[in-house]
Amino acid sequence: MSKRPVRTIEDIARLAGVSKSTVSRVLSNSPLISDRTKQRVLAIAKEHNFRIHQPARRLSLRHSSTIGFVTHGHTKNISVEDLFQLEMLGAISAALSSYNYDLLMLHVDPYDNNWPNEYLNTGRVDGFILMTSTRKQHHIQTLLEIQAPFIIWGVPVPPHSYCSVVGDSFRGGHLAGEHLVQSGRKKIAFIGGPEDELEVTLRLQGFQTALDQAGIPADPGLITFGDFTSAFGSQAIRELLERSPEVDAVFANSDIMAIGVINTLHSLGKNVPDDIAVVGYDDLSIAQHATPPLTTIRQHLPQAGQLLVQNLIQHIQTGVVTNVSIPVELVTRGSA
Amino acid sequence: MSKRPVRTIEDIARLAGVSKSTVSRVLSNSPLISDRTKQRVLAIAKEHNFRIHQPARRLSLRHSSTIGFVTHGHTKNISVEDLFQLEMLGAISAALSSYNYDLLMLHVDPYDNNWPNEYLNTGRVDGFILMTSTRKQHHIQTLLEIQAPFIIWGVPVPPHSYCSVVGDSFRGGHLAGEHLVQSGRKKIAFIGGPEDELEVTLRLQGFQTALDQAGIPADPGLITFGDFTSAFGSQAIRELLERSPEVDAVFANSDIMAIGVINTLHSLGKNVPDDIAVVGYDDLSIAQHATPPLTTIRQHLPQAGQLLVQNLIQHIQTGVVTNVSIPVELVTRGSA
DNA sequence: CTGAAAGCGCTTACAG
DNA sequence: CTGAAAGCGCTTACAG
């Protein structure tokens, strides 16, 4: 008689003339239930647009079906530099919802060591996904210590064993170098991310291998490291050009950096790719919208997101530790 | 004797020699409890690094203390164009955690009308925050119909009443126009976002008012609309220059557009701001890193995030509907 | 194939 | 100021 008494499984049970147990079972698709009952209950549930109350379910099941995406605290840090993370977030979110998991955003204080407990012991989250980088390395220690389930995007560092997925950076660097070499470039600069990041080192190794193979001598003067920002890209190319005006190509370690490089080149009156060819890294969606459109190394973010969640969930459920390396791919567009 | 028996409030109660009720009360800071008991329980809780289990708490309290941030589905859409949203997300997240609320990311299918129930009826979320835009307008309808608590960033559209916070777009447009006029510009173009967005219209009105006041005649040929992307910024300035080569300033409706404009100007050999002055909008963190650093209208995102969450929570608790307009501010840097 | 009952870990009237 | 008990809405052995 009253407005909307259909809020719980018990309401449905009453309407269907069965027990709560039965309703619960049909809703979780238990094989025990007869088809007739199942259809009837389902019909009633649908008719009333019934949805299971998650906190109750989570309490009973003792897990949250939600994972935390870990990001660093301060608002100020969020900027174009985090575009990569943003695209990754989209990919992860898409994958997560296909598993019926929720995505909790965790803006974490980098100096706090207790945050994993804050989310795990409270039953808000079943595990974590994080993008690694040097400064976050100690988070991994913390997670390892309390045995929190997690997976990282990045190269896992040896002593310990934990889940990871990462692009094949050596091959990425190699592809970039090879492409530049094959298009006839001779003075090819490497504008890298942080020198102490494994990915960066690997890209450099792949890159140098490609030059070696083409018989181009290594020139330390053409190699710089910094961060992944466009600001650093700008600065790096400017300095490079002062030191070595004959540079005819650059391999930048991120699309964002590459865009910084290109902008600076334009303002110096250089033509891209005629005077200087530029290849980026990641293939974010901005890559195709740059002027000229960026030639870059595609990291396959949607696939990465999918693997990150699939393997995390698997790890939560079975304890299996996976480390996967995703093939990268050269995408040729206008800039090189 | 066993490893870690301290997982629940009951464990703490046992250790402290009190009842669960008492522990619960000290943990929720009930005034009923004596100081002695409170200190003792707190000490024990801290010693064992105890954290309350949220699903249980939420089930009991009948609310989730989490809010959903609504974003559109497809991975592909996430790009530099969403930088604004990203910075807003950071601001919201910061505000939320000061209220002990969690932030759930909701990548929602734009053609699905049932998503609010999916989150509200399931007890996963107490309310929603969304950024509006024309295409999202029908989400508001849906939310209104099922009486879901929500707040938007954007101008509320009349017939209905719901919470909102928004920057003062008229004043923003006015400040931009005024600044350009005062620096002696005569042919000032307006490169707008979507023509059917209220914010855009308001910025144009403010802008035109400023020109009027300076006695500069309105020139419809200098006004364009598109979207907030840098690609559109590039395209718009290129077309504008063909039609009216004498343009000496532009007011772009987002920092991202402004950056597109500047890049294109550079590649056309124009100097910014000498040949053409450019003012942007938003003051995202990229603004200060542009070359030249962007003169822009600051929207005060951290404050916006704070108001968004504060007023949403207030609305959830009391039903009060607030509509707030945040003052904007001209930030003068290199580009104009 | 189905149901009654216990339990998940909290909160909070109610009684003292 | 404190405790025993009921209840939040599910799930799942256990018994049939």
Side-chain angles (χ1 to χ4, degrees):
Chain A
M1 278 298 118
S2 57
K3 302 273 283 310
R4 246 204 106 196
V6 188
R7 305 237 67 116
T8 75
I9 236 177
E10 195 158 4
D11 298 327
I12 301 289
R14 197 182 329 109
L15 292 170
V18 296
S19 70
K20 301 193 301 174
S21 320
T22 298
V23 175
S24 172
R25 284 194 265 251
V26 350
L27 260 21
S28 60
N29 211 264
S30 160
L32 293 177
I33 302 296
S34 80
D35 234 49
R36 258 183 97 273
T37 326
K38 179 179 290 189
Q39 297 315 326
R40 186 156 39 94
V41 172
L42 247 22
I44 293 180
K46 157 164 278 187
E47 176 190 347
H48 293 273
N49 199 233
F50 175 76
R51 293 284 176 287
I52 272 192
H53 192 258
Q54 291 300 322
R57 176 162 216 269
R58 289 166 184 179
L59 174 57
S60 189
L61 251 23
R62 243 83 64 51
H63 67 246
S64 64
S65 297
T66 113
I67 79 97
F69 181 84
V70 181
T71 264
H72 278 252
H74 315 298
T75 311
K76 291 298 157 197
N77 287 340
I78 299 184
S79 74
V80 77
E81 278 65 57
D82 292 295
L83 251 199
F84 179 86
Q85 225 178 104
L86 184 61
E87 293 212 19
M88 189 59 106
L89 190 61
I92 288 170
S93 173
L96 238 19
S97 69
S98 76
Y99 287 94
N100 280 312
Y101 267 66
D102 282 338
L103 178 59
L104 206 58
M105 285 291 290
L106 272 33
H107 285 244
V108 137
D109 178 349
Y111 300 108
D112 173 17
N113 276 330
N114 204 227
W115 63 265
N117 280 316
E118 216 67 66
Y119 289 97
L120 227 39
N121 293 351
T122 55
R124 290 140 117 181
V125 131
D126 297 334
F128 304 96
I129 297 183
L130 8 72
M131 314 282 97
T132 34
S133 78
T134 328
R135 358 161 241 165
K136 288 185 195 162
Q137 205 57 42
H138 83 278
H139 281 335
I140 296 190
Q141 287 307 326
T142 314
L143 289 164
L144 248 15
E145 271 161 28
I146 69 163
Q147 308 207 52
F150 70 97
I151 194 169
I152 65 160
W153 166 261
V155 180
V157 340
H160 298 287
S161 149
Y162 48 87
C163 292
S164 69
V165 0
V166 66
D168 185 343
S169 284
F170 181 90
R171 179 127 180 81
H174 193 270
L175 284 171
E178 196 177 52
H179 177 69
L180 258 9
V181 161
Q182 286 176 357
S183 58
R185 309 293 171 161
K186 302 293 181 198
K187 287 295 192 179
I188 311 178
F190 177 92
I191 301 188
E195 183 164 11
D196 55 2
E197 273 185 38
L198 240 34
E199 265 89 344
V200 173
T201 315
L202 290 169
R203 288 174 198 175
L204 178 57
Q205 288 172 12
F207 171 78
Q208 291 200 125
T209 303
L211 302 215
D212 277 1
Q213 290 167 343
I216 298 184
D219 179 350
L222 294 181
I223 296 170
T224 35
F225 301 98
D227 57 37
F228 291 112
T229 67
S230 68
F232 176 67
S234 295
Q235 174 195 330
I237 186 64
R238 197 166 274 130
E239 293 175 358
L240 228 26
L241 249 22
E242 268 169 31
R243 276 205 306 278
S244 320
E246 72 288 9
V247 166
D248 61 6
V250 357
F251 167 37
N253 268 201
S254 78
D255 289 343
I256 318 263
M257 295 168 90
I259 287 173
V261 169
I262 291 180
N263 288 344
T264 297
L265 252 17
H266 282 164
S267 64
L268 295 176
K270 305 276 189 184
N271 181 291
V272 176
D274 295 348
D275 299 329
I276 299 187
V278 177
V279 359
Y281 209 97
D282 294 338
D283 196 26
L284 302 187
S285 29
I286 33 162
Q288 48 192 298
H289 296 121
T291 342
L294 226 51
T295 290
T296 188
I297 306 297
R298 176 175 294 166
Q299 293 245 54
H300 296 288
L301 260 32
Q303 189 187 356
Q306 166 64 32
L307 285 165
L308 245 9
V309 341
Q310 176 180 308
N311 290 346
L312 206 215
I313 292 177
Q314 171 179 253
H315 179 249
I316 289 170
Q317 291 173 167
T318 69
V320 169
V321 172
T322 50
N323 296 95
V324 359
S325 168
I326 300 182
V328 294
E329 180 187 354
L330 174 74
V331 180
T332 310
R333 286 193 276 248
S335 69
Chain B
M1 276 302 119
S2 56
K3 302 270 284 310
R4 246 204 105 195
V6 188
R7 304 237 67 115
T8 75
I9 235 176
E10 194 159 5
D11 298 327
I12 300 288
R14 196 181 334 107
L15 291 171
V18 296
S19 70
K20 299 195 300 174
S21 323
T22 298
V23 175
S24 173
R25 284 194 264 252
V26 350
L27 259 21
S28 59
N29 211 264
S30 160
L32 293 178
I33 302 296
S34 79
D35 234 49
R36 259 182 98 275
T37 325
K38 178 181 290 190
Q39 296 316 325
R40 185 155 41 94
V41 172
L42 247 23
I44 294 178
K46 156 163 278 187
E47 175 189 348
H48 293 273
N49 199 232
F50 175 77
R51 292 284 176 284
I52 272 191
H53 192 258
Q54 291 300 321
R57 176 160 217 268
R58 288 167 184 178
L59 173 57
S60 190
L61 251 23
R62 243 84 63 52
H63 67 247
S64 64
S65 297
T66 112
I67 80 96
F69 181 83
V70 181
T71 265
H72 279 253
H74 315 298
T75 311
K76 291 299 156 195
N77 287 341
I78 299 185
S79 74
V80 77
E81 278 64 57
D82 293 295
L83 252 200
F84 179 86
Q85 225 178 107
L86 183 60
E87 292 213 18
M88 189 60 105
L89 190 61
I92 287 169
S93 173
L96 239 18
S97 68
S98 76
Y99 286 93
N100 279 313
Y101 267 66
D102 282 339
L103 177 59
L104 207 57
M105 284 292 289
L106 273 32
H107 286 242
V108 137
D109 178 350
Y111 300 107
D112 173 18
N113 276 330
N114 203 228
W115 63 263
N117 280 316
E118 217 66 67
Y119 289 96
L120 225 40
N121 292 352
T122 55
R124 290 141 116 182
V125 131
D126 298 335
F128 304 95
I129 297 183
L130 6 73
M131 316 280 98
T132 35
S133 76
T134 329
R135 1 160 238 164
K136 286 186 196 160
Q137 204 58 42
H138 82 278
H139 282 334
I140 295 189
Q141 288 305 326
T142 314
L143 289 165
L144 247 14
E145 272 160 28
I146 70 165
Q147 307 206 52
F150 70 98
I151 194 168
I152 65 159
W153 167 261
V155 180
V157 340
H160 297 287
S161 149
Y162 48 86
C163 293
S164 69
V165 1
V166 66
D168 185 343
S169 283
F170 181 90
R171 178 126 179 83
H174 192 270
L175 283 171
E178 196 177 53
H179 176 69
L180 258 10
V181 161
Q182 285 176 357
S183 57
R185 309 292 170 162
K186 301 293 180 198
K187 289 293 193 178
I188 311 179
F190 177 92
I191 302 187
E195 183 166 10
D196 54 2
E197 273 184 39
L198 240 35
E199 265 89 343
V200 173
T201 316
L202 290 170
R203 287 175 199 176
L204 178 57
Q205 288 172 11
F207 172 77
Q208 292 200 126
T209 303
L211 302 214
D212 277 1
Q213 290 167 342
I216 298 184
D219 179 350
L222 294 181
I223 296 171
T224 35
F225 300 98
D227 57 36
F228 291 112
T229 67
S230 67
F232 175 68
S234 294
Q235 175 196 329
I237 186 64
R238 198 167 271 130
E239 293 174 0
L240 226 29
L241 248 22
E242 268 168 32
R243 277 206 307 279
S244 320
E246 72 287 9
V247 164
D248 61 6
V250 357
F251 166 39
N253 269 199
S254 78
D255 289 341
I256 318 265
M257 298 168 89
I259 287 174
V261 168
I262 291 180
N263 288 344
T264 297
L265 252 18
H266 282 164
S267 64
L268 294 176
K270 305 275 191 186
N271 181 291
V272 176
D274 294 348
D275 300 329
I276 300 187
V278 177
V279 358
Y281 209 97
D282 293 338
D283 196 27
L284 303 187
S285 29
I286 33 161
Q288 47 192 299
H289 297 121
T291 341
L294 225 53
T295 291
T296 188
I297 306 296
R298 175 175 295 167
Q299 293 247 53
H300 296 288
L301 260 33
Q303 189 187 357
Q306 166 65 31
L307 285 165
L308 245 8
V309 339
Q310 176 181 310
N311 290 346
L312 205 215
I313 292 177
Q314 171 179 252
H315 179 249
I316 289 170
Q317 291 174 167
T318 69
V320 169
V321 172
T322 49
N323 297 95
V324 0
S325 168
I326 301 182
V328 294
E329 181 187 355
L330 173 75
V331 180
T332 310
R333 287 193 275 248
S335 71

